[in-house]
Amino acid sequence: MVVVVDTVSVTPLRPRHPEKVNRPDALSPPKPDWIRVRAPNSRGYADTRQIVRENGLVTVCEEAGCPNIGECWDKKHATFMIMGDTCTRACAFCNVKTGMPGPLDAHEPDHVAEATFKLGLAHIVITSVDRDDLADGGAEHFVQTIRAIRARCPTTTIEILTPDFLRKQGALETVVAAKPDVFNHNLETVPSRYLNVRPGARYFHSIRLLQRVKEIDPAIFTKSGIMVGLGEERHEVLQVMDDLRSAEVDFLTIGQYLQPTRKHHAVMRYVTPDEFSGYEKVAYTKGFLMVSASPLTRSSHHAGDDFARLRAARAALSG
C-alpha cells in the first residue's frame, strides 16, 4: 500500500490526504508523449521560488503539482493560493492537502501584493483553498487581497479563481463588489462525474454562481474550466459548454486530468491533441470569446496573454 506523506507539515508523518490512505490504488495508463514536460531547473524558476519563499506564500503551482510550473516560473508567472495550504474539501482529483485549516493570516494580502510587485506581473491570478470553516468562505480575504494588489500595483489586472461559496450567503456579492478583472470558478468535470470526482460541490450551484456574477456586474469577464479523461462522454462535454454559455461565461479552458498519486482518481484515458482541437472549435461556435483546450491547459496557464486576447475579442465583438 502506498501512503502519501506530507513532509512539509510541522507534524511529521501526517498523511497529506488522510481520507485517501485506505483506498485501493487506482492505476492509470502510461502517459503518452504529448503529456511529458521538462523538469524545472532554470534561473527564472529559482528566482520566482525565492520571491515566493521570502514572502511566505503558497502557490497552487506547487500544491496542485501543475505540470507547467517550470515554464511559468521561468517567466516569473506564479499563481498564489491564499488562505493557507489546507483545504476543507477532499476532491478525488486534487493534490492540495486536506484537513482543518489554520486561522487566516491578516498580512497575507500585503505579502501577495509585494510578491506581485517584485515579480513585475502585469496580470496576476489569485486562487484559494476551500474554507468551509469560515462564515463567509473567505470572501473578505479575497477582497483584502484584491485591494492590496491594486494599492501596490495599480496597473496590474487581477484574475481570481474562487471556491463555490456553497451555503455562504452574500459571499459572492462581496467578492464581485471588489471588481476583479476576471472571475473564474471551475466546474472541473461533467455533472455525471461529480459524486466520484467533486463530491463536496454541486454542479448547478457552480453554474448559477457564474451566472450571478454577470447579473451583478456584466463588465467582469467570467471564466470556467473542466478536466477531461475522468470517464466523461463527448456529448457531456458539449452540454457543459451549453450550460456555461447559458450563464454567459466568456472563457472556457479544457485540459487533461493527470493523477497526482495512486490514491487519487485514475486517468480513464488520455484525450488526444486532435480531440482537444475539436473541442476548441466547437466551443468557439457556441459563442465563447476565448477558448483554451489542450492536454496541458490549466486555468492560469498563459493567463496574462489570454486576458489580453479576451479583452480584444470583446472589443471586436462590440464593434
Side-chain angles (χ1 to χ4, degrees):
M1 181 178 72
V2 176
V3 177
V4 181
V5 175
D6 175 16
T7 59
V8 179
S9 174
V10 174
T11 304
L13 302 180
R14 180 192 182 277
R16 186 175 178 86
H17 303 285
E19 79 289 346
K20 295 179 175 67
V21 167
N22 294 318
R23 290 183 182 178
D25 288 358
L27 302 181
S28 296
K31 291 181 183 177
D33 291 340
W34 63 77
I35 290 294
R36 304 185 188 281
V37 295
R38 292 181 180 178
N41 58 6
S42 67
R43 175 61 184 273
Y45 173 88
D47 290 345
T48 301
R49 188 174 187 275
Q50 182 177 350
I51 291 172
V52 169
R53 296 291 181 271
E54 287 174 349
N55 287 276
L57 297 172
V58 178
T59 68
V60 74
C61 321
E62 295 172 291
E63 296 301 317
C66 180
N68 302 314
I69 188 171
E71 176 192 347
C72 293
W73 281 29
D74 180 54
K75 299 175 182 176
K76 294 190 175 181
H77 293 170
T79 298
F80 298 114
M81 189 170 76
I82 59 176
M83 294 190 274
D85 65 354
T86 304
C87 186
T88 54
R89 304 273 175 99
C91 295
F93 66 89
C94 185
N95 197 40
V96 174
K97 185 166 59 177
T98 55
M100 179 54 69
L104 295 179
D105 178 1
H107 301 292
E108 185 176 50
D110 290 331
H111 292 321
V112 171
E114 186 61 25
T116 302
F117 176 80
K118 288 181 177 178
L119 291 168
L121 296 176
H123 184 81
I124 179 67
V125 182
I126 305 296
T127 188
S128 79
V129 291
D130 275 285
R131 291 297 303 254
D132 296 311
D133 58 309
L134 300 176
D136 69 347
E140 184 59 30
H141 202 73
F142 264 104
V143 171
Q144 294 303 321
T145 303
I146 291 170
R147 288 174 179 168
I149 294 170
R150 290 231 165 99
R152 188 73 172 93
C153 309
T155 62
T156 298
T157 49
I158 301 172
E159 178 172 333
I160 58 171
L161 171 53
T162 77
D164 58 12
F165 299 123
L166 187 62
R167 293 183 286 272
K168 304 298 182 182
Q169 189 70 30
L172 174 68
E173 290 76 7
T174 296
V175 176
V176 173
K179 293 188 177 295
D181 297 282
V182 181
F183 189 107
N184 185 1
H185 172 65
N186 286 333
L187 297 180
E188 307 295 4
T189 188
V190 301
S192 69
R193 304 303 301 150
Y194 261 53
L195 186 59
N196 290 323
V197 175
R198 199 181 177 216
R202 302 293 179 267
Y203 177 80
F204 287 106
H205 170 81
S206 288
I207 290 287
R208 178 58 182 150
L209 184 88
L210 291 159
Q211 183 181 45
R212 183 76 181 123
V213 174
K214 282 293 189 183
E215 291 173 354
I216 299 170
D217 190 343
I220 295 177
F221 289 103
T222 50
K223 179 177 177 179
S224 189
I226 62 168
M227 302 168 289
V228 289
L230 283 160
E232 72 290 329
E233 299 290 340
R234 184 175 187 274
H235 70 86
E236 293 181 293
V237 175
L238 302 186
Q239 184 61 59
V240 167
M241 292 182 191
D242 289 337
D243 292 344
L244 287 171
R245 285 305 302 136
S246 72
E248 299 184 66
V249 170
D250 301 301
F251 190 170
L252 171 66
T253 62
I254 307 176
Q256 172 70 52
Y257 166 64
L258 298 176
Q259 185 184 27
T261 75
R262 289 186 177 187
K263 297 301 180 183
H264 286 76
H265 195 295
V267 175
M268 305 309 292
R269 78 181 187 98
Y270 289 102
V271 178
T272 67
D274 284 345
E275 289 177 90
F276 277 105
S277 179
Y279 280 139
E280 182 174 307
K281 290 174 183 176
V282 171
Y284 273 121
T285 67
K286 290 180 180 292
F288 290 98
L289 291 180
M290 266 291 299
V291 183
S292 178
S294 74
L296 292 177
T297 288
R298 297 295 182 267
S299 290
S300 55
H301 194 209
H302 300 152
D305 293 339
D306 286 344
F307 177 70
R309 293 168 58 197
L310 184 63
R311 198 156 47 180
R314 174 185 281 180
L317 189 65
S318 64

